[in-house]
Amino acid sequence: MMSLCPRNYSYCPSVIIWQSDEAVPRISVTDLEVSRHRISLFLSTHNAYELLPESGKIIALDVNLPVKQAFHILYEQGISVAPLWDFCKGQFVGVLSALDFILILKELGSHGSNLTEEELETHTIAAWKEGGKLHLTRTMDGNGASFSRRHLVHAGPNDCLKDVALKILQNKVATVPIIHFSSQDGSVPQLLHLASLSGILKCIYRYFRHSSSSLPILQQPICSIPCGTWVPKIGDSKPFAMLRPNASLSAALALLVQAGVSSIPIVDDNGSLLDIYSRSDITALAKDKVYAQIRLDEMSILEALRLGQDANSPHGVFNGQRCQMCLRSDPLHEVMKRLANPGVRRLIIVEAGSNRVEGIISLSDVFKFLLGYPEFVGHHFT
Amino acid sequence: MGNANGREEEVGNGIEEDESLSLTETGRSNGGAMGLSYNHAQVPGRVASSESMGNIIDNNNNNNNNNNTPPHSPGRSPSPLLFAPQLPVAPLQRGDGLPFFNNIWQNESQGVVDQPPERAIPSMITWNYGGNNVAVEGSWDNWTSRKMLQRSGKDHSILLVLPIGIYHYRFIVDGEWRYNPDLDFAPDEMGHVCNLLNVNDNVPENLESVAEFEAPPSPDYSYSQTLPTEEDFAKEPVAVPPQLHLTVLGMENPDEASSSKPQHVVLNHLFIEKGWASQSVVALGLTHRYQSKYVTVVLYKPLIR
């Protein structure tokens, strides 16, 4: 049984009108404006070069690799996204991510799929990106546009952090490759880094943590600011997707795609948090080629998660906990500090004691709030 | 050095003045006492807090302009680029049982699990407007402690080793709050004007300013070696120089790989995965440098037979 609201799942940007009658501290508009201005100033004066670690490693894939092998490589290397290199063009042409696999698996599982099992062996990433998704995009609502991108969203090392963050938000991606073109005509790309909001947040956090008075909004508890997605009884009445542990994998994948979210909390009958299923968990199906042996609607998400939780899982488990939780009374700077850890993309807001899910706050929620996006930002990046 | 002695007795270290000039291991536990408050008599109430900062200011032990030079000589100024920052460690317990451990420092490190220790960067703070006793207080420890500056004539200075970020700080010159108008300043939340210290880890590459760094001239050889012929290809290839085995590519642990700088010798060499002949997918690896940072790219490519 799934505890889903039987409505459509299109999500709006994170401006939430509070109707709770609890006494929550009001945020002062000046505090908000001052904080936003300072963060915007910081992000505009620092560039993507600062995101690079001193010695970093990136895995890239040739675009002519069979999709199946790419899947295995992502799993074995413990990564969930890899840029794609085209030898003929001599350029990076796209990015392969967990979402691609979810779509491929759904395609395989659906009736009338035009991909047989043998074809999957040799079906290359290039062929998938060119043709395989077209019929799917027509059935998407609103989020379809982000799947049919023809060119790579990337940034340069001298682009300011604000531009990088806006590119990530506007294109609804998780990472943006930082590429440096070392020759005059831009023909020799040098891949430097995969930038994500997590890295940018870490820069902000490191820079401001010793002068917290300059960002007063950070002291506010998260329940008092319009940031994050909340369950209907606390926030406004938008649907909040959650699943029971025995929900089928195909239902989980469908929900991830349709709702356009990157993860779904798994709750028990009381609404208490048990675990979380994210898009990146899909790569665990590469273990022992499970994806070839199962039918998506026969496997439960609990079983799917167990696959990924072996001792040798390289990606895994950060701080010994898969789902990072926080309370609604936690101040924003505490939430930011935890989101600044690599691998943590979201915190689940729970009620103290019972662990009942109250909401989710993610990296993109925090950035949209801090940048005043999209209301106050006029750029459009493609 | 009379006041140094008097101060030590207050504190109960029991260290002779001569020993204090040659600190090695013991230096860590009272490095704060030696490096920071050496030349000035301290108010007793201040002693504990400044010593609790000792664990952060370990590097003053390596600093040339304390201990060995008499107060009036200018001393040698340390080059921040030349010494490696030490990781702060908890100082040894003193005999009188006062805890050295700074609580703020402890909380900081508990929050950061599974990450490499925060790199601390040395920064110099100077005061050039005279005065007898100049100290500085800052937001690096939430204004709890005061550090005395080293005096050389009319100038006072101190070297602080701090993690990256912005800090507010103020000078206390002969008991008065002052700020240095030559450095960045801004009002803080209470309306007082403080100086700003921006600690950054981007050390700009400015090789021209380092005199010892002239590139050596090319050796006196000609490049007239002939191309290899067929019989050369029939021979076994030359053994790979052992330095090239120092690549970061084989490292399993991503944390280890990302914190170790690759050796210069492996840059711009293309590596291929071992045992590639039997696979259909091969991994190629390349490490290159971009400004001061290193990037290793591993590309998986299908092998077409």
Side-chain angles (χ1 to χ4, degrees), chain A residues 49 52-60 62 69 73 77 87 157 180 190-192 206-207 210 213 319 341, chain B residues 113 115 139 164-167 189 198 258 260-261 280-281 288 290-294 296-298 300-301:
Chain A
Y49 177 74
L52 271 61
E54 202 185 2
S55 172
K57 181 171 166 184
I58 313 180
I59 310 260
D62 185 319
Q69 282 180 317
I73 291 167
Q77 299 295 323
F87 264 99
H180 170 63
Q190 196 179 358
L191 180 62
L192 296 178
R206 263 186 349 194
Y207 197 76
H210 297 287
S213 56
N319 274 349
N341 285 325
Chain B
V113 185
Q115 287 194 357
S139 63
I164 296 169
I166 322 183
Y167 303 89
E189 67 265 29
N198 182 351
S258 62
S260 62
K261 236 163 72 157
S280 58
V281 175
H288 55 89
Y290 179 73
Q291 294 186 5
S292 324
K293 306 207 179 166
Y294 299 89
T296 302
V297 179
V298 177
Y300 285 86
K301 184 172 154 39

Side-chain angles (χ1 to χ4, degrees), chain A residues 154-176:
Chain A
H154 69 276
N158 296 318
D159 290 357
C160 71
L161 289 179
K162 188 170 182 188
D163 287 348
V164 176
L166 288 174
K167 269 192 187 172
I168 293 176
L169 290 176
Q170 281 178 330
N171 292 289
K172 297 192 171 58
V173 292
T175 57
V176 160

Side-chain angles (χ1 to χ4, degrees), chain B residues 32-133:
Chain B
M34 293 303 114
L36 303 178
S37 42
Y38 184 76
N39 290 328
H40 305 271
Q42 283 269 329
V43 177
R46 280 288 179 185
V47 165
S49 55
S50 67
E51 289 193 16
S52 67
M53 288 306 293
N55 54 354
I56 300 178
I57 318 297
D58 276 331
N59 285 339
N60 281 336
N61 291 336
N62 292 336
N63 199 330
N64 289 331
N65 67 354
N66 68 359
N67 296 342
N68 289 330
T69 63
H72 306 298
S73 74
R76 285 168 284 170
S77 67
S79 160
L81 297 177
L82 289 180
F83 68 107
Q86 294 174 352
L87 295 176
V89 295
L92 305 172
Q93 280 288 340
R94 290 189 312 174
D96 56 8
L98 270 184
F100 263 52
F101 220 109
N102 186 343
N103 284 335
I104 298 170
W105 191 253
Q106 161 124 39
N107 289 339
E108 273 278 285
S109 55
Q110 273 173 359
V112 179
V113 185
D114 276 348
Q115 287 194 357
E118 185 79 48
R119 276 184 41 199
I121 316 289
S123 315
M124 183 83 99
I125 294 182
T126 55
W127 174 262
N128 305 104
Y129 291 90
N132 291 320
N133 295 328

Side-chain angles (χ1 to χ4, degrees), chain A residues 290-307:
Chain A
V290 166
Y291 59 85
Q293 296 153 9
I294 55 145
R295 284 175 53 86
L296 292 178
D297 50 3
E298 286 167 10
M299 178 179 245
S300 76
I301 43 181
L302 199 58
E303 291 165 356
L305 284 177
R306 284 216 193 97
L307 281 180

Side-chain angles (χ1 to χ4, degrees), chain B residues 228 230-241 276:
Chain B
E230 278 300 326
E231 25 183 71
D232 288 321
F233 280 111
K235 297 180 203 162
E236 280 294 310
V238 186
V240 170
W276 58 271

Side-chain angles (χ1 to χ4, degrees), chain B residues 204-227:
Chain B
E205 287 183 339
N206 197 4
L207 297 176
E208 291 79 15
S209 67
V210 185
E212 294 86 24
F213 215 77
E214 278 172 26
S218 283
D220 252 5
Y221 293 103
S222 64
Y223 294 88
S224 58
Q225 196 174 18
T226 55
L227 286 174

